[in-house]
Amino acid sequence: MDQNLQDNHVKLATAIDYIYHAFPNLSYRPRPDDVKLLAAFLQSQNPDSPAFLGELMKSSYDAIEIEINKFHSRLVKQHQQLPAFS
């Protein structure tokens, strides 16, 4: 994978994690346009907001959707219960 593409992937993944941690009580799975709105809100509240939020704002909806799916996949793996042995 191209290093620049890998860096963008990492920045986007970090931005998604940041948004989910900034809004821990989201009662739904946000769409990419919702994520961009949340990032814009965070940027408007803090002029020193992290640069990766700006990268998210420049990202395509498809790229954001992929990272949202990866985020939820990681959550499922982290909370996966061990099988019950009888």
Side-chain angles (χ1 to χ4, degrees):
M1 184 181 286
D2 180 78
Q3 184 62 37
N4 193 30
L5 185 60
Q6 179 67 21
D7 290 345
N8 289 341
H9 162 73
V10 170
K11 289 177 186 176
L12 188 54
T14 303
I16 297 292
D17 288 349
Y18 186 84
I19 288 170
Y20 271 90
H21 289 358
F23 299 97
N25 295 324
L26 283 175
S27 60
Y28 69 102
R29 184 176 179 151
R31 298 182 321 242
D33 56 334
D34 297 327
V35 171
K36 281 192 172 190
L37 287 171
L38 293 171
F41 173 77
L42 290 171
Q43 287 181 312
S44 73
Q45 298 300 303
N46 182 7
D48 297 324
S49 61
F52 50 73
L53 290 178
E55 290 296 320
L56 182 141
M57 297 299 289
K58 293 187 260 181
S59 298
S60 71
Y61 288 134
D62 289 339
I64 294 170
E65 182 70 33
I66 289 168
E67 291 306 323
I68 290 170
N69 290 337
K70 288 179 182 179
F71 177 87
H72 283 277
S73 291
R74 287 192 307 270
L75 283 182
V76 168
K77 287 178 185 177
Q78 289 173 357
H79 294 102
Q80 190 173 25
Q81 294 185 5
L82 296 173
F85 295 104
S86 43

